[in-house]
Amino acid sequence: MKKLKIKTGDTVRVVAGDHKGSEGKVMIVNLEKNKAIVEGVNMVSKHEKPSAKNPQGGIVKKEALIHISNLSLIDPKSGDTTRVGYDMRDGKKVRFSKKSNEVI
């Protein structure tokens, strides 16, 4: 299984595509498709039939998947985009920001 450097709960910025510059928190990561759902980004309108869960039905706005390559992690210290590295610190493997060298 492929390992991705962006995980659920990370704050990311979209760096390419129609939603370039948007920021949000990663809600779901799909490893098979290399895509993620980011809160408030890539909103699409979807028609839903009336059901027990949604008795009204109609047009619903929801987030769609966006490819991982279009996302960049935001450095918690500076607030700018950064790359992610892995390092052994105190006997544990940790992710760190390459800009600030701070553990994420």
Side-chain angles (χ1 to χ4, degrees):
M1 188 179 286
K2 188 173 181 180
K3 183 154 173 99
L4 301 175
K5 296 189 177 188
I6 292 178
K7 303 201 180 297
T8 303
D10 287 345
T11 306
V12 295
R13 182 176 294 144
V14 180
V15 294
D18 293 341
H19 305 283
K20 183 176 180 177
S22 302
E23 294 181 9
K25 188 171 283 228
V26 176
M27 297 175 7
I28 299 170
V29 176
N30 186 333
L31 290 173
E32 289 81 33
K33 295 182 180 180
N34 285 341
K35 294 186 177 191
I37 293 180
V38 181
E39 188 176 29
V41 178
N42 200 19
M43 299 293 285
V44 294
S45 299
K46 181 170 173 50
H47 180 269
E48 289 193 356
K49 288 173 69 173
S51 64
K53 194 175 191 182
N54 186 8
Q56 188 72 20
I59 298 172
V60 177
K61 292 191 91 51
K62 57 192 266 184
E63 291 97 354
L65 293 169
I66 188 166
H67 201 273
I68 292 288
S69 66
N70 295 337
L71 302 176
S72 182
L73 191 70
I74 294 181
D75 186 10
K77 190 172 184 181
S78 68
D80 199 15
T81 58
T82 184
R83 291 181 297 158
V84 177
Y86 288 93
D87 196 11
M88 294 297 287
R89 296 185 184 175
D90 299 326
K92 285 188 168 183
K93 185 177 179 181
V94 294
R95 291 188 313 155
F96 70 96
S97 165
K98 290 206 174 184
K99 269 194 181 167
S100 66
N101 204 19
E102 193 170 303
V103 175
I104 299 172

